[in-house]
Amino acid sequence: MTSNALNANALYDKMRTELSALLAQGKRPDPLMIGIHTGGVWLAEKLHTDLEIAEELGVLDISFHRDDFEQSGLNPKVQQSKLPCPTEGRHIILVDDVIMSGRTIRAAMNELFDFGRPSSVTLITLLDLQQRELPIQADIIGGTLAISPDQSVKLTGPEPLALEIRNRS
């Protein structure tokens, strides 16, 4: 990718424009936007405001649905998921910062279905690292980036939003 690969604002603008166009088609009426804790929540808050989505914003903490829970233990910053309404029959816009293996999104979908069966789920992510372990794809992405296996990407924020490539310890 070009020099915009780590320009969080440029990636956000692309993501926002594509989501706005998708919503303008009218195929996802009255959407419920939900951010995945933490980076996805920061992006969802910004999108929610910029796109003037009527329904209150939801927040998911997927800690209890992670498939590496027994290996890595409980995240000390676990928070309760907060959804303003049941997901049953709703069009969900699920927002995360970075998609890599697909495991976070799998855990998020498990958590979502605990609240009801949505009519649809549209996945939006700022950055796709294209290192899938599960067959999960985002519907809208800000951009893609190739990194080495010993690196990770972290969104910092919420103000300002910035992406950093980090070496894994």
Side-chain angles (χ1 to χ4, degrees):
M1 183 172 219
T2 65
S3 61
N4 285 342
L6 294 180
N7 183 333
N9 290 324
L11 297 174
Y12 172 81
D13 288 343
K14 180 180 181 289
M15 196 174 66
R16 184 197 67 234
T17 299
E18 289 183 24
L19 178 57
S20 180
L22 180 72
L23 293 175
Q25 294 174 2
K27 295 179 182 175
R28 290 164 181 83
D30 192 30
L32 172 60
M33 183 173 284
I34 300 171
I36 299 173
H37 183 64
T38 58
V41 173
W42 298 335
L43 292 167
E45 287 170 341
K46 209 166 157 54
L47 285 166
H48 192 265
T49 299
D50 289 350
L51 298 175
E52 299 176 347
I53 294 178
E55 185 74 59
E56 187 179 337
L57 179 68
V59 174
L60 278 186
D61 188 316
I62 56 145
S63 297
F64 292 113
H65 286 283
R66 293 197 56 93
D67 60 7
D68 61 356
F69 180 77
E70 289 184 10
Q71 298 161 346
S72 60
L74 185 60
N75 182 334
K77 297 179 183 176
V78 171
Q79 298 182 11
Q80 183 178 5
S81 290
K82 297 176 187 161
L83 300 184
C85 61
T87 58
E88 187 71 35
R90 295 298 302 267
H91 294 284
I92 306 296
I93 300 170
L94 183 61
V95 183
D96 202 10
D97 52 357
V98 177
I99 185 170
M100 188 171 84
S101 67
R103 293 183 181 279
T104 295
I105 303 306
R106 184 215 47 87
M109 300 226 350
N110 285 354
E111 176 83 1
L112 271 178
F113 276 75
D114 286 349
F115 291 89
R117 184 182 182 276
S119 195
S120 69
V121 177
T122 301
L123 176 59
I124 299 166
T125 185
L126 190 65
L127 195 59
D128 184 345
L129 300 181
Q130 299 180 317
Q131 296 181 14
R132 238 36 112 245
E133 295 172 5
L134 300 175
I136 295 172
Q137 300 297 323
D139 298 291
I140 294 174
I141 59 168
T144 60
L145 180 68
I147 60 173
S148 70
D150 63 334
Q151 293 178 315
S152 65
V153 175
K154 176 75 175 164
L155 179 68
T156 60
E159 286 296 328
L161 289 175
L163 286 162
E164 300 175 353
I165 296 178
R166 297 180 175 177
N167 290 320
R168 296 179 196 212
S169 304

